[in-house]
Amino acid sequence: MSWRAGLFPPGPHVLEADGIQVSFGGRPVLSHVYLRVQTGQIVGLLGRNGSGKSTLLQTVFGARAVPDASVRVNGRRAVPAFQTAGLLNYLPQVPLLPAHLTLAQAARLLRVNLEKATANFPDLHAQLGARPGELSGGTARLAQVLLLLHADTSFSLFDEPFSGIMPVHLETLAVEMQQAKQRKGLLLSDHRYVEVLALSDVVYLLHQGRLFKLGADPQAELAAHGYLVA
């Protein structure tokens, strides 16, 4: 049985994905993948550039159709997941907001209280009437992350959420994410390993097409796979 669009209920949920097999040019990119995220949890997804992290996030969200891929919520099929209202949102690496919308207009479309979403970032207050192209790359990225964090979904998927964001804002954004996980599940993929590890309750490593769930000492396991935490 599948979730029907518009009927996704509130409450604790578990999001799972498996059966994802993706190859590019005959080269396997994703195989033997099992991913689990639950509400009340931040899950980190690490891996080298080109390892398939973005492809995995796109598949879970439903932007990339993959034969036999299974995405489930509480054991019930949800493919493509984005068609189930209130289930999840997704920030890709590329800009998300339409160029013609101001931040205030985008917030209204997402039904987000913009004053609340930006309360801890006073630098943004003077720019709420600006369009994404009128902002610096880091400021636009921060605004998009905040809008999705505060949107009313059970899960949020983020691909490089810290990209270009000023260091002075990273600590505050981390607090925002910790607060958001009290009401939703977060899946973060970012090359800034330190920030991801500090936030995550569970960490996965995508390595040579396989997804590994790391244990109590993820830094040691990352080192064993030849990764450097910087």
Side-chain angles (χ1 to χ4, degrees), residues 148-226:
L148 295 193
L149 278 177
H150 285 265
D152 188 16
T153 60
S154 291
F155 298 94
S156 289
L157 317 180
F158 294 103
D159 196 350
E160 300 289 342
F162 307 129
S163 178
I165 295 180
M166 293 188 296
V168 69
H169 288 152
L170 286 175
E171 184 174 348
T172 308
L173 181 56
V175 173
E176 291 275 339
M177 289 181 168
Q178 291 283 9
Q179 292 173 344
K181 85 167 187 179
Q182 303 306 315
R183 53 188 174 80
K184 61 168 63 182
L186 305 181
L187 177 59
L188 311 178
S189 177
D190 202 282
H191 72 280
R192 300 183 67 108
Y193 282 22
V194 172
E195 282 78 7
V196 173
L197 289 172
L199 280 167
S200 298
D201 301 295
V202 175
V203 180
Y204 287 95
L205 174 65
L206 189 54
H207 181 70
Q208 296 181 349
R210 294 173 176 263
L211 194 63
F212 300 90
K213 182 179 178 180
L214 304 185
D217 189 358
Q219 293 195 31
E221 292 187 64
L222 288 169
H225 283 92

Side-chain angles (χ1 to χ4, degrees), residues 6-230:
L7 296 180
F8 189 73
H13 299 292
V14 175
L15 175 67
E16 297 174 284
D18 59 15
I20 300 172
Q21 307 282 338
V22 177
S23 297
F24 294 141
R27 179 179 68 89
V29 174
L30 295 176
S31 60
H32 304 286
V33 167
Y34 174 76
L35 176 70
R36 185 181 190 275
V37 186
Q38 64 187 50
T39 50
Q41 187 179 68
I42 297 177
V43 174
L45 174 62
L46 301 178
R48 292 190 175 92
N49 289 341
S51 63
K53 301 185 301 297
S54 294
T55 299
L56 177 55
L57 291 174
Q58 292 163 9
T59 303
V60 173
F61 181 67
R64 178 184 293 272
V66 175
D68 302 323
S70 175
V71 178
R72 304 178 302 280
V73 182
N74 301 343
R76 294 171 62 182
R77 181 176 169 83
V79 177
F82 68 81
Q83 289 188 349
T84 302
L87 174 54
L88 79 175
N89 53 33
Y90 164 56
L91 179 69
Q93 290 190 29
V94 298
L96 175 68
L97 299 180
H100 66 280
L101 292 183
T102 66
L103 295 182
Q105 291 170 332
R108 285 195 291 272
L109 285 176
L110 293 170
R111 300 180 181 179
V112 170
N113 183 325
L114 193 54
E115 290 186 3
K116 180 179 178 181
T118 61
N120 295 319
F121 298 89
D123 295 355
L124 288 178
H125 294 168
Q127 303 181 75
L128 300 185
R131 294 173 174 81
E134 298 169 338
L135 304 173
S136 69
T139 299
R141 196 68 176 171
L142 174 61
Q144 292 174 88
V145 173
L146 292 173
L147 287 175
L148 295 193
L149 278 177
H150 285 265
D152 188 16
T153 60
S154 291
F155 298 94
S156 289
L157 317 180
F158 294 103
D159 196 350
E160 300 289 342
F162 307 129
S163 178
I165 295 180
M166 293 188 296
V168 69
H169 288 152
L170 286 175
E171 184 174 348
T172 308
L173 181 56
V175 173
E176 291 275 339
M177 289 181 168
Q178 291 283 9
Q179 292 173 344
K181 85 167 187 179
Q182 303 306 315
R183 53 188 174 80
K184 61 168 63 182
L186 305 181
L187 177 59
L188 311 178
S189 177
D190 202 282
H191 72 280
R192 300 183 67 108
Y193 282 22
V194 172
E195 282 78 7
V196 173
L197 289 172
L199 280 167
S200 298
D201 301 295
V202 175
V203 180
Y204 287 95
L205 174 65
L206 189 54
H207 181 70
Q208 296 181 349
R210 294 173 176 263
L211 194 63
F212 300 90
K213 182 179 178 180
L214 304 185
D217 189 358
Q219 293 195 31
E221 292 187 64
L222 288 169
H225 283 92
Y227 289 79
L228 295 177
V229 179

